[in-house]
């Protein structure tokens, strides 16, 4: 069933209240809470957010809509998409992953030392991988796209290079979740349960984030490359 | 990719109404692979059972009553057939000493699948396939100790190709694809000690 669609004149509070996963999105657009009765357009204007781009990403995340549309770069604000993705990176790296790490270490603190050690090692390595993955995007891919917008075409690089190496960064997190479910036999408590739920939801968040990059950001940049 | 075992089942029900209902329910389920035969003439129960040698017979108590089940089994001799009664009343349900199980005419599809799986000992999770073989366990230990495929091959006098196949099967069975994930698995299952692997992780 197709869900409810939102227009620039829908109330922002309705959108966020009806879909809790939009909560995460609005922070990445630098939109704070306390939205009162204002419409999506009013709030977006207030915070320097292009309302079409905002709604495009919202409907993509909610209903997988907008994929394979043409001339995206004319409809959407690429600088805003980059700002959104950068904020998203900082959410994962500076908040979400460290938080899960802390909760996980806390939850397994009664497990034997060796098990604690390997789980911590696994997660630290994973965090570093995610860090590298996102650092590359921040330092190479986004500046490349920004240069394209300015009209400069770097002949050395193309977005295809990025597309090819853009791996599914959430897979190792899902793997850890599976290991816990199948082999962690230290007894179940609510803390471990919570950590598992975090692994589930954070994998999903990472997946959505990657999807936005693959289905919105990359096609936009490809269009830019084509007109240069 | 259907490697699922198929079970043969013979229906010997006393009336066409129950038969139609039950057959329809069975046809809707895909959990248990079944080849269904229907006994047209219930008086041929014994000879047909011997001829078809099904895994399971579902009978109405009017066709084969509970006290007669041991005699029936005797008559079948070597043939090992599970027998379930198809009950339409609570009185029939009570007489259930010799049957391997019972299905009620009011049972839904889930209850029926449950009975079939337990009587036929259906291996629904194909556990057998998901457990590591001793050789695969050895490969896991070698991997988490930091050996390369080539080194592992040399150690077990196998080809590198065989080791790669083992590793692929391990990944599929455990649903663990990274070496560091295997390390957690190996420690949790006490296949190695931390000291043995510490330098390689």
């Amino acid at each position: 069933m197709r869900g409810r669609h939102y227009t620039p004149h829908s109330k922002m509070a309705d959108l966020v209240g009806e879909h809790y996963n939009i909560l995460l999105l609005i922070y990445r657009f630098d939109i704070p809470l306390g939205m009162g009765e204002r419409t999506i357009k009013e709030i977006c204007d207030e915070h320097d957010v292009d309302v079409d781009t905002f709604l495009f990403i919202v409907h993509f995340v909610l209903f997988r809509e907008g994929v394979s549309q043409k001339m995206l770069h004319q409809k959407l604000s690429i600088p805003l998409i980059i700002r959104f993705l950068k904020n998203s990176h900082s959410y994962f790296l500076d908040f979400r992953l460290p938080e899960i790490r802390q909760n996980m270490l806390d939850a397994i603190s009664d497990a034997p030392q060796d098990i604690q050690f390997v789980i911590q090692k696994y997660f630290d390595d994973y965090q570093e991988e995610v860090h590298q993955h996102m650092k590359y995007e921040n330092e190479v891919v986004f500046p490349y796209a920004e240069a394209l917008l300015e009209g400069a075409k770097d002949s050395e690089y193309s977005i295809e290079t990025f597309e090819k190496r853009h791996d599914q960064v959430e897979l190792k997190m899902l793997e850890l979740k599976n290991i816990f479910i199948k082999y962690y036999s230290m007894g179940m408590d609510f803390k471990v349960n919570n950590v598992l739920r975090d692994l589930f939801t954070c994998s999903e968040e990472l997946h959505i984030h990657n999807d936005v990059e693959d289905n919105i950001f990359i096609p936009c940049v490809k269009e830019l490359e084509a007109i240069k | 990719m259907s490697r699922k075992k198929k079970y043969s089942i013979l229906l010997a029900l006393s009336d066409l109404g129950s038969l139609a209902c039950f057959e329809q329910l069975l046809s809707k389920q895909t959990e248990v692979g079944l080849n269904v035969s229907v006994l047209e003439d219930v008086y041929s129960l014994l000879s047909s059972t011997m001829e078809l040698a099904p895994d399971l017979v579902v009978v109405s108590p009017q066709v084969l009553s509970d006290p007669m089940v041991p005699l029936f089994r005797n008559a079948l001799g070597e043939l090992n057939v599970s027998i379930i009664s198809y009950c339409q009343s609570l009185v029939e349900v009570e007489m259930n000493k010799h049957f391997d199980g019972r299905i009620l005419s009011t049972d839904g599809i889930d209850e029926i699948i449950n009975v079939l799986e337990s009587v036929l000992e259906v291996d629904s999770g194909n556990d057998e396939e998901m457990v590591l073989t001793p050789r695969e366990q050895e490969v896991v230990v070698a991997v988490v100790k930091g050996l390369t495929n080539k080194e592992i091959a040399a150690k077990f006098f196998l080809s590198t190709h065989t080791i790669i196949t083992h590793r692929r099967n391990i990944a599929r069975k455990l649903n663990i694809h990274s070496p560091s994930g295997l390390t957690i698995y190996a420690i949790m299952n006490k296949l190695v000690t931390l000291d043995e692997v510490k330098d390689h992780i």
Side-chain angles (χ1 to χ4, degrees):
Chain A
M1 202 183 77
R2 247 173 69 135
R4 180 186 160 189
H5 269 241
Y6 297 87
T7 70
H9 310 290
S10 313
K11 278 185 194 167
M12 184 67 97
D14 287 348
L15 167 65
V16 178
E18 283 159 22
H19 302 280
Y20 78 92
N21 48 356
I22 298 298
L23 256 185
L24 286 173
L25 295 193
I26 62 159
Y27 283 114
R28 296 175 199 173
F29 283 110
D30 303 306
I31 296 173
L33 293 177
M35 33 198 61
E37 303 301 319
R38 281 164 295 171
T39 65
I40 289 176
K41 178 154 175 33
E42 284 165 350
I43 300 242
C44 281
D45 287 350
E46 245 170 73
H47 295 93
D48 193 24
V49 170
D50 173 59
V51 69
D52 293 334
T53 308
F54 176 82
L55 282 174
F56 190 88
I57 293 181
V58 162
H59 288 129
F60 172 77
V61 168
L62 289 182
F63 315 120
R64 290 284 154 215
E65 277 182 17
V67 185
S68 72
Q69 274 191 29
K70 294 279 175 286
M71 302 312 278
L72 282 179
H73 74 281
Q74 289 182 348
K75 290 178 212 146
L76 306 180
S77 157
I78 296 175
L80 178 62
I81 295 175
I82 292 175
R83 187 172 110 199
F84 168 84
L85 292 173
K86 276 188 177 165
N87 280 340
S88 177
H89 288 168
S90 109
Y91 161 76
F92 287 116
L93 296 177
D94 304 331
F95 173 72
R96 190 70 159 125
L97 294 178
E99 185 206 27
I100 292 179
R101 181 181 184 276
Q102 193 48 51
N103 290 343
M104 176 145 61
L105 295 186
D106 188 27
I108 63 173
S109 59
D110 291 336
Q113 286 292 325
D114 53 350
I115 292 181
Q116 288 189 48
F117 182 88
V118 287
I119 291 179
Q120 179 177 342
K121 179 83 174 95
Y122 184 98
F123 200 83
D124 288 349
D125 289 349
Y126 173 66
Q127 227 173 324
E128 180 55 27
E129 267 174 46
V130 179
H131 182 77
Q132 290 304 330
H133 174 114
M134 294 180 171
K135 188 175 164 212
Y136 172 78
E137 292 170 3
N138 286 351
E139 292 178 1
V140 177
V141 185
F142 297 156
Y144 168 74
E146 280 159 353
L148 266 183
L149 279 172
E150 306 277 309
K153 170 91 175 82
D154 178 349
S155 53
E156 293 292 303
Y157 195 81
S158 90
I159 199 70
E160 218 184 352
T161 317
F162 169 58
E163 198 178 15
K164 277 185 190 144
R165 61 169 276 176
H166 195 220
D167 44 359
Q168 288 170 279
V169 74
E170 77 277 11
L171 289 185
K172 276 189 86 177
M173 189 172 263
L174 287 171
E175 179 171 288
L176 184 59
K177 178 204 77 186
N178 290 336
I179 292 173
F180 263 101
I181 292 175
K182 276 180 149 177
Y183 308 111
Y184 186 80
S185 47
M186 306 310 137
M188 205 58 178
D189 63 30
F190 287 123
K191 281 183 181 173
V192 176
N193 237 325
N194 253 338
V195 169
L196 275 187
R197 216 190 43 183
D198 278 343
L199 293 178
F200 262 107
T201 52
C202 186
S203 314
E204 180 66 22
E205 289 163 14
L206 281 166
H207 184 74
I208 291 172
H209 168 79
N210 259 21
D211 262 4
V212 171
E213 290 178 338
D214 290 340
N215 295 291
I216 300 177
F217 175 71
I218 291 179
C220 280
V221 177
K222 276 189 175 167
E223 286 174 11
L224 283 182
E225 282 177 341
I227 54 174
K228 286 288 175 285
Chain B
M1 207 179 73
S2 174
R3 260 173 305 177
K4 229 158 124 181
K5 185 178 172 189
K6 278 223 169 194
Y7 297 90
S8 55
I9 160 170
L10 177 65
L11 308 183
L13 304 187
S14 56
D15 64 283
L16 289 172
S18 336
L19 181 65
C21 281
F22 190 54
E23 258 195 304
Q24 213 215 340
L25 273 176
L26 285 184
S27 70
K28 272 197 228 153
Q29 66 87 32
T30 51
E31 299 290 299
V32 187
L34 292 175
N35 280 324
V36 182
S37 319
V38 174
L39 193 63
E40 305 284 345
D41 172 16
V42 291
Y43 288 90
S44 72
L45 177 67
L46 184 58
S47 58
S48 298
T49 307
M50 292 182 84
E51 190 187 319
L52 293 168
D55 296 303
L56 172 69
V57 179
V58 181
V59 291
S60 305
Q62 290 91 329
V63 177
L64 178 66
S65 67
D66 192 59
M68 292 296 137
V69 170
L71 279 173
F72 183 68
R73 283 194 207 279
N74 260 339
L76 291 177
E78 296 281 290
L79 204 58
N80 196 5
V81 178
S82 301
I83 307 166
I84 292 183
S85 67
Y86 184 89
C87 310
Q88 304 198 55
S89 74
L90 289 174
V91 181
E92 291 170 355
V93 173
E94 302 254 312
M95 292 194 56
N96 195 12
K97 205 159 140 191
H98 301 296
F99 286 118
D100 295 307
R102 57 170 170 69
I103 288 170
L104 253 112
S105 56
T106 51
D107 276 350
I109 190 68
D110 291 338
E111 285 126 336
I112 291 173
I113 290 172
N114 204 352
V115 173
L116 290 179
E117 282 186 340
S118 75
V119 171
L120 293 169
E121 291 171 357
V122 174
D123 192 1
S124 54
N126 44 18
D127 289 343
E128 206 60 48
E129 263 182 48
M130 301 316 272
V131 172
L132 295 191
T133 64
R135 178 41 59 83
E136 284 165 351
Q137 282 211 358
E138 288 171 346
V139 173
V140 169
V141 170
V143 170
V144 302
K145 283 183 180 170
L147 272 64
T148 63
N149 285 342
K150 216 171 149 187
E151 288 164 341
I152 301 172
K155 185 177 170 175
F156 297 127
F157 305 104
L158 294 169
S159 71
T160 316
H161 179 79
T162 310
I163 299 301
I164 292 169
T165 308
H166 279 313
R167 290 193 63 168
R168 204 169 30 230
N169 289 336
I170 291 165
R172 178 180 54 81
K173 287 182 178 180
L174 302 181
N175 200 8
I176 298 175
H177 300 269
S178 68
S180 46
L182 282 182
T183 304
I184 302 183
Y185 169 83
I187 291 280
M188 280 183 176
N189 288 285
K190 299 191 167 48
L191 301 179
V192 292
T193 65
L194 188 54
D195 284 336
E196 289 175 290
V197 299
K198 215 166 188 170
D199 300 336
H200 310 289
I201 55 177

